[in-house]
Amino acid sequence: MDVNIHVNDPREHINEEPRNDFWDLVFGFVGMFGFMTVIFFGFVIIKFLVG
C-alpha cells in the first residue's frame, strides 16, 4: 500500500517574515514611552493653564 503524504516540517518557518524581533520590541517600547511622555506633558501643561 503506497500512500502519498505531504507533511510540512514546522521548523521550516515558511510564512515567517524575515524581521528582527528584538528591534521590533525596542522600537515598540521606545515609541510607546515617547507617546506617553508627550501625553503626560500635555496634561501637565493643560493643568497649569486651567488652574
Side-chain angles (χ1 to χ4, degrees):
M1 185 158 108
D2 223 4
V3 178
N4 291 328
I5 298 175
H6 300 288
V7 177
N8 291 330
D9 189 355
R11 293 171 292 180
E12 290 178 5
H13 300 287
I14 297 170
N15 295 324
E16 186 173 337
E17 295 181 15
R19 299 184 58 127
N20 190 341
D21 291 334
F22 175 72
W23 285 110
D24 286 342
L25 183 72
V26 169
F27 290 143
F29 271 102
V30 170
M32 195 64 183
F33 182 78
F35 176 70
M36 288 297 169
T37 303
V38 169
I39 295 292
F40 171 75
F41 284 112
F43 276 107
V44 169
I45 292 170
I46 289 172
K47 178 181 181 290
F48 279 118
L49 289 176
V50 170

